[in-house]
Amino acid sequence: MQQVVQPSPPVIGSAMPFQTRRLEHVLLSVVIAMLVITMPMLWLGKWIVAAMLVAATAALCLALRLARRGNTETAAKVMLSTLTLALGTLILNGQGLRDEAVLALPGILVFASMFGSRRLYFSMLGLMLLLLLGVGVASLLGWRQNLATTIRFDTMISVLGILSVIGYYIWLMAADLRRTMDSLETEIRRVRSSHDRIEALAHHDALTGLPNRLLARDRFEQAASHAQRSRTLAALLFIDLDNFKTVNDSLGHAAGDQLLRDVAERLVQSVRVGDTVSRQGGDEFLIVIGDLADEDAVAATAAKLIERLAKPFHLGDVEVTATCSIGVALYPQNGNDFESLLKHADMAMYQAKESGRNAMRFYDEDMQTSVIHHLHLISAMRTALAHGNFQLHFQPQFDLRSGRLLGAEGLLRWNHPELGAISPAEFIPLAERSGLIIELGAWVLLEACRQARAWQLAGLGDLTVAINVSPIQFRRGALEQHIDTALANTGLAASCIELEMTESLLLADAAELSALLQRLHKRGMRLAIDDFGTGYSNLGYLKRFAVQRLKIDQSFVRRLTANANDAAIVRAIVQMAHSLGMETVAEGIEDAATLQQLQAMGCDLGQGFHWSPALPAGDFLAFAKAHQ
């Protein structure tokens, strides 16, 4: 470890440029003063004193020359020694303790404190004290006579010269001290400003300026203490934006950052001054609310937040909405500390998302049970995957013009040994959250290819098998490898596989995704958009990706004969797809009337209970043979 050396106080030998300049100033002023004092001595014929002053001046000139050459230490010693000897001589030969030369002794001490070491300073102080003591004792004992004299011209000049030199240097020291103090004050302000910035960064979010989780914890503890004293409630609201990733991926990160700032501003405007809005991270926010009378007050605030965020945001020329899901945990009912309430509010928020989003949910103990249930399901999925307990069922797809069977959609099924049949709507999201969807998706690909190849060998021809692919499978980068493995192990042609994707995946418009889809298309594989019309309908991506089919969401198809608006939507999708050279597949056809209306609209393919539900592989083989 590198050793940090603390700087020592400046001494003579340090030869700092600042000290050198000051020494030159002092020497020059002393030389001038010595010359001024020497003139009246020569005029009055005091040759001995004048000769001593001339010698001292010469020594000081030598010191000045040494200082200008950078030899600060020697120059300072010469100056201090010369002045001390000269003053000592003047005092001894003059009026003793009453001599004007005594006035210069404090000046020499000032010079020594600036340019000398501590030892030299105290040595000179001791020498001066001994000199004055000796002169005083000699005068008291009568060894020397101090005659009282009148003020003469030379005395006045000497006093003025001595005071001028000392005053000049004191002014220099004061000026230096003022600059040092100003510099120190500036540095203190800079340090304080830096400290304030560090404090702000430590407790606030850099993007939105809101308090961060650390400060939110502190504010919650204050709100909880107040609630305990006043017997009221405190609440922690966990807010997650519902479609932020879609906006961020489609419009870019700059637009996403602006949306977060705008959302933060609306949240602050929607709560009281004493409440705390903080950013948890990503598109998640926390709100600490204190001094609440009951749950209704929290519900009213949450409803206000949902209403405010549902209003459009303007990001440049684009208008977007940012609905949110809110989870609420109350103090002290749902926990006594920040971490407990944060966990419970998070659970409640996920319940709000699963209930359809753009909603609010209060935490209750059943949610904890639900989380434990999900953990058990994830563990059970790992076991089921290892032991081959998943099944792939197939729902037939027909050409609506000819009525011919063209293929099937592979749908994953799981029959738990204890819980029975578990809906894909429950276990697929868990598989995506846990990362199991990668391994599970690879198994689905292999099983679908194996069954398609088995049907070919059974004489059914080249039926197309459609497979739902999670966005996570695309983003993790292993999908193409899994496809290659499945096709190689089964001997199936790539043209017999259709991959179904969600709209949200294509909105990312990543270069890697575009390149991957182009490679799969060139190999003969079909690409379809599942549940078309229910997502963030930015139709620009249809021109950029090699998509051959649009699957019309069954929520429109099932209401086709009863709702004119749904019929108009389906007709528009069919016409748009045909104009772009794509086919349409209608899901959820359950009766002949719906089938006839879709045929009249020009829809290409269909599937649904009108023909058959999803069937196990063996049952589908029998069904297909019966309809060929």
Side-chain angles (χ1 to χ4, degrees):
M1 183 175 63
Q2 184 178 3
Q3 183 179 4
V4 179
V5 181
Q6 297 294 336
S8 58
V11 296
I12 293 176
S14 62
M16 297 174 61
F18 176 77
Q19 286 183 306
T20 301
R21 291 196 303 271
R22 282 292 175 259
L23 182 58
E24 290 178 6
H25 295 159
V26 171
L27 280 168
L28 187 59
S29 63
V30 172
V31 168
I32 294 173
M34 294 291 280
L35 291 174
V36 171
I37 295 172
T38 303
M39 293 302 178
M41 299 299 178
L42 293 173
W43 179 263
L44 295 174
K46 296 183 177 182
W47 307 110
I48 297 176
V49 176
M52 183 271 297
L53 291 175
V54 170
T57 303
L60 291 173
C61 290
L62 175 62
L64 179 59
R65 185 177 181 184
L66 291 172
R68 287 177 175 175
R69 291 183 175 181
N71 197 344
T72 308
E73 180 179 3
T74 304
K77 288 181 177 180
V78 171
M79 179 190 72
L80 295 173
S81 301
T82 301
L83 291 177
T84 303
L85 290 173
L87 291 175
T89 302
L90 289 174
I91 292 171
L92 289 173
N93 293 325
Q95 302 179 48
L97 296 180
R98 294 181 178 180
D99 195 271
E100 63 270 15
V102 176
L103 295 174
L105 295 179
I108 295 178
L109 290 177
V110 172
F111 300 157
S113 66
M114 182 63 186
F115 303 112
S117 64
R118 181 181 302 178
R119 177 181 297 178
L120 180 59
Y121 175 83
F122 284 106
S123 297
M124 294 189 64
L125 177 61
L127 179 61
M128 291 178 185
L129 292 175
L130 289 174
L131 173 64
L132 295 177
L133 179 63
V135 172
V137 170
S139 299
L140 290 174
L141 295 178
W143 295 347
R144 65 185 307 279
Q145 295 296 322
N146 294 322
L147 299 176
T149 60
T150 59
I151 300 299
R152 299 188 307 273
F153 175 73
D154 63 314
T155 303
M156 181 183 67
I157 295 298
S158 298
V159 171
L160 291 177
I162 292 171
L163 288 178
S164 297
V165 172
I166 296 174
Y168 174 66
Y169 188 66
I170 290 175
W171 177 83
L172 288 178
M173 290 187 63
D176 294 340
L177 182 60
R178 283 195 299 271
R179 282 194 293 270
T180 302
M181 293 301 295
D182 291 342
S183 176
L184 182 60
E185 183 65 25
T186 301
E187 183 66 16
I188 290 173
R189 287 196 297 267
R190 189 192 67 80
V191 171
R192 286 177 178 172
S193 177
S194 299
H195 181 270
D196 292 341
R197 287 197 298 270
I198 293 172
E199 188 74 11
L201 290 173
H203 293 89
H204 290 80
D205 173 57
L207 176 64
T208 63
L210 293 176
N212 60 13
R213 177 173 172 176
L214 185 63
L215 185 54
R217 178 200 299 271
D218 181 69
R219 299 283 177 83
F220 167 78
E221 291 174 352
Q222 296 177 24
S225 298
H226 177 75
Q228 189 175 21
R229 292 192 304 269
S230 59
R231 298 184 181 277
T232 56
L233 300 178
L236 188 64
L237 280 63
F238 197 116
I239 302 173
D240 184 87
L241 302 183
D242 292 329
N243 60 341
F244 175 73
K245 189 178 189 311
T246 301
V247 174
N248 204 38
D249 290 343
S250 59
L251 301 180
H253 292 287
D257 290 346
Q258 184 59 48
L259 177 60
L260 290 175
R261 286 191 288 266
D262 292 346
V263 167
E265 184 177 354
R266 286 195 189 179
L267 292 177
V268 172
Q269 293 173 351
S270 301
V271 299
R272 301 170 302 181
V273 175
D275 300 331
T276 300
V277 179
S278 70
R279 185 181 176 211
Q280 171 81 348
D283 61 339
E284 297 175 340
F285 297 85
L286 296 177
I287 298 182
V288 178
I289 302 178
D291 197 20
L292 295 166
D294 49 36
E295 294 183 3
D296 292 340
V298 185
T301 300
K304 184 179 180 181
L305 294 171
I306 291 174
E307 179 184 359
R308 290 283 183 89
L309 292 186
K311 295 179 180 179
F313 291 86
H314 296 278
L315 304 177
D317 298 332
V318 181
E319 184 179 278
V320 300
T321 56
T323 60
C324 67
S325 299
I326 302 177
V328 181
L330 298 175
Y331 173 88
Q333 291 94 319
N334 304 140
N336 293 319
D337 59 86
F338 178 79
E339 294 298 334
S340 297
L341 265 74
L342 180 62
K343 180 179 69 174
H344 295 158
D346 190 12
M347 291 180 186
M349 183 274 294
Y350 274 107
Q351 287 292 323
K353 278 192 176 296
E354 292 177 359
S355 67
R357 304 190 176 193
N358 196 29
M360 179 270 294
R361 291 290 182 272
F362 282 91
Y363 170 80
D364 59 51
E365 293 183 358
D366 292 339
M367 294 180 182
Q368 182 76 19
T369 304
S370 176
V371 170
I372 296 175
H373 174 65
H374 288 171
L375 293 176
H376 288 165
L377 284 183
I378 292 172
S379 177
M381 270 194 290
R382 297 184 189 276
T383 302
L385 193 57
H387 293 83
N389 293 336
F390 284 102
Q391 290 184 326
L392 204 59
H393 287 195
F394 301 89
Q395 186 171 40
Q397 291 181 339
F398 289 87
D399 186 328
L400 298 189
R401 296 185 183 88
S402 64
R404 187 166 58 93
L405 178 67
L406 297 181
E409 179 182 6
L411 300 170
L412 189 61
R413 297 291 183 262
W414 181 24
N415 191 22
H416 193 279
E418 299 176 0
L419 302 176
I422 300 176
S423 170
E426 182 177 6
F427 70 80
I428 291 296
L430 292 178
E432 290 180 329
R433 291 181 204 168
S434 63
L436 275 173
I437 193 66
I438 302 298
E439 191 175 353
L440 193 57
W443 179 86
V444 169
L445 274 168
L446 181 61
E447 182 66 13
C449 291
R450 189 183 67 81
Q451 288 295 341
R453 181 58 179 158
W455 294 334
Q456 290 178 355
L457 296 176
L460 293 183
D462 294 336
L463 296 180
T464 299
V465 179
I467 304 168
N468 290 282
V469 182
S470 167
I472 297 176
Q473 292 175 262
F474 280 97
R475 296 188 184 112
R476 295 287 176 86
L479 177 62
E480 192 170 13
Q481 179 183 350
H482 293 161
I483 292 174
D484 291 339
T485 300
L487 295 178
N489 289 346
T490 60
L492 187 70
S495 58
C496 295
I497 295 296
E498 177 181 295
L499 300 181
E500 295 185 1
M501 304 163 289
T502 61
E503 289 182 83
S504 61
L505 173 67
L506 299 183
L507 289 175
D509 195 13
E512 296 83 0
L513 173 63
S514 179
L516 172 60
L517 295 181
Q518 289 292 342
R519 290 196 300 272
L520 295 177
H521 175 63
K522 288 180 180 179
R523 295 172 62 177
M525 198 169 294
R526 288 189 178 90
L527 303 174
I529 299 177
D530 196 18
D531 299 332
F532 184 80
T534 60
Y536 186 81
S537 299
N538 180 358
L539 303 180
Y541 65 80
L542 293 178
K543 298 184 296 183
R544 296 193 296 271
F545 295 97
V547 177
Q548 291 84 46
R549 288 179 178 175
L550 300 181
K551 297 196 71 175
I552 305 171
D553 187 71
Q554 56 185 322
S555 63
F556 301 123
V557 176
R558 286 175 178 170
R559 298 190 299 264
L560 184 64
T561 58
N563 190 306
N565 291 331
D566 288 330
I569 292 173
V570 172
R571 184 179 293 106
I573 293 175
V574 172
Q575 292 173 354
M576 179 194 65
H578 288 170
S579 66
L580 295 175
M582 293 184 289
E583 296 179 327
T584 52
V585 182
E587 298 180 287
I589 302 176
E590 297 184 354
D591 53 58
T594 302
L595 173 60
Q596 291 174 0
Q597 194 163 347
L598 286 168
Q599 289 171 331
M601 291 178 179
C603 185
D604 302 291
L605 291 85
Q607 65 186 79
F609 282 14
H610 175 68
W611 293 283
S612 172
L615 301 171
D619 295 344
F620 178 84
L621 177 60
F623 177 89
K625 286 184 176 180
H627 285 76
Q628 277 193 331

